[in-house]
Amino acid sequence: MKNKTTLLIMAAGMGSRFGSLKQITPLGPHKKALLHYTIYDAVQAGFDKIVFIIRESFAEEFKNFVGKYAENLVETVYCYQDMNKLPGGLPPIEREKPWGTAHAIWCAKDAIHEPFAALNADDFYGSDAFVKAHDFLAANQNEKEYCLIGYRLASTLSENGTVSRGVCEVDKDYYLTAVTECTKIGTLPDGTIKDEELGKVLNPDDVVSMNFWGFMPTVFGEIEKQFQEFYPQNKDNLKSEFYIPKVVDQVLKEKAAKVKVLKTDAKWFGITYKEDTPGVNAALAAFDAEGKYSNL
């Protein structure tokens, strides 16, 4: 029997940026945002429900912008990343910056009781990624096995500047063993891909994380446990963030769960730089020429 599956879209970070070019510029032949493509691909892949993590301060704008589109296609739930709501009932701290992706995911715990995928709101992940994530989650019966969609590094770069990527290490069975955060990856004039921060040459075929995870509900307990340790060490740093890759890394170290890396040949798109927009438009137009997204 297949599991019900949910897609959790982390959009709370859009609060401070909402109305910016990156978030609402109409893209491609359909003049839609990248988030519309995410919703379309998820529904086509078979996800049964979409949960949006947003900030209450821009809920109505968000629902008008994209929520109504989702509601017409699939069960849709809205959750709020409330900075006053912390794991373990810890006391809130006056700060403007959200607590990060792991806290965002935890804020959806009351709305998700089934296997779920989690990803960023402002990236294009490609239909193959959604199919692979959905099929893994629909079949998974092991509450301590998660997944990560792994992209080919060369398929995730920008021609207009450096990018940050999590470079994955896997074992022979393609289970994740480590993720190294490389924060300044660029392509040299001779085509070499290099992390300029570490001075390390990378392989175009290296598998990287684009923050597209598949989880079982057990991850909520892991997040809560780790936040208890994170909070006292970071409560005075108002810019500190509690990131989901760090949670997963600790889970792996403690052998509390395994993470299967599911390779995809999909090309990731994102507007890291304003100059990326024409390339994204061209890529979406090419899909349209193939007849893809004709019903978007």
Side-chain angles (χ1 to χ4, degrees):
M1 181 178 172
K2 286 188 175 182
N3 300 319
K4 182 178 179 181
T5 56
T6 287
L7 176 66
L8 172 61
I9 298 176
M10 295 180 281
M14 293 172 70
S16 58
R17 304 193 302 268
F18 204 83
S20 70
L21 170 79
K22 186 175 182 181
Q23 301 302 343
I24 66 168
T25 297
L27 297 165
H30 299 285
K31 303 301 180 187
K32 301 283 189 181
L34 293 180
L35 190 46
H36 290 93
Y37 288 84
T38 288
I39 295 163
Y40 181 90
D41 280 337
V43 172
Q44 293 297 308
F47 280 91
D48 302 290
K49 181 171 74 175
I50 289 179
V51 175
F52 291 111
I53 282 284
I54 58 176
R55 290 202 214 183
E56 196 165 6
S57 59
F58 68 95
E60 288 310 308
E61 291 174 275
F62 184 88
K63 289 174 183 178
N64 289 329
F65 168 58
V66 74
K68 289 178 180 177
Y69 173 73
E71 290 169 15
N72 286 331
L73 297 176
V74 70
E75 180 185 351
T76 303
V77 178
Y78 301 92
C79 297
Y80 302 123
Q81 185 171 11
D82 183 349
M83 289 189 285
N84 294 323
K85 183 182 177 184
L86 300 179
L90 289 166
I93 293 166
E94 191 68 33
R95 54 183 277 157
E96 293 182 12
K97 195 174 186 67
W99 279 102
T101 51
H103 176 251
I105 289 172
W106 178 83
C107 287
K109 65 183 177 63
D110 293 336
I112 300 176
H113 307 284
E114 59 282 327
F116 69 100
L119 47 66
N120 300 331
D122 48 11
D123 295 320
F124 177 93
Y125 288 98
S127 58
D128 179 64
F130 290 91
V131 170
K132 285 191 164 69
H134 169 269
D135 291 354
F136 174 90
L137 295 168
N140 186 29
Q141 299 299 319
N142 184 350
E143 65 177 15
K144 294 185 176 180
E145 184 161 335
Y146 308 151
C147 72
L148 169 67
I149 300 297
Y151 287 79
R152 183 173 178 265
L153 173 60
S155 297
T156 71
L157 302 178
S158 170
E159 297 176 356
N160 301 300
T162 61
V163 297
S164 297
R165 299 289 179 258
V167 180
C168 300
E169 295 175 36
V170 298
D171 65 17
K172 61 182 177 59
D173 297 315
Y174 247 77
Y175 282 97
L176 189 66
T177 57
V179 179
T180 302
E181 289 296 327
C182 297
T183 57
K184 205 172 182 184
I185 301 174
T187 305
L188 303 181
D190 65 359
T192 301
I193 300 173
K194 189 174 184 178
D195 179 355
E196 297 175 14
E197 194 79 31
L198 300 176
K200 180 181 179 182
V201 174
L202 300 170
N203 189 307
D205 292 323
D206 282 344
V207 176
V208 297
S209 163
M210 299 306 300
N211 227 26
F212 189 158
W213 301 91
F215 293 117
M216 301 297 278
T218 52
V219 77
F220 296 123
E222 295 292 338
I223 292 172
E224 184 145 346
K225 182 179 74 172
Q226 290 188 38
F227 193 82
Q228 312 295 314
E229 300 165 4
F230 173 88
Y231 178 87
Q233 298 171 12
N234 294 275
K235 62 185 176 67
D236 297 324
N237 178 359
L238 299 184
K239 293 187 176 180
S240 61
E241 291 191 63
F242 186 47
Y243 294 117
I244 196 63
K246 291 287 188 184
V247 170
V248 172
D249 185 58
Q250 188 62 30
V251 164
L252 294 177
K253 287 176 180 174
E254 295 176 1
K255 297 187 174 8
K258 299 191 297 183
V259 178
K260 185 79 169 181
V261 176
L262 309 175
K263 287 179 69 175
T264 180
D265 293 326
K267 182 169 174 57
W268 169 92
F269 304 133
I271 302 180
T272 307
Y273 302 94
K274 183 178 180 180
E275 294 78 10
D276 292 332
T277 305
V280 171
N281 279 329
L284 296 176
F287 283 134
D288 202 56
E290 297 169 5
K292 197 165 187 180
Y293 301 113
S294 57
N295 296 321
L296 188 67

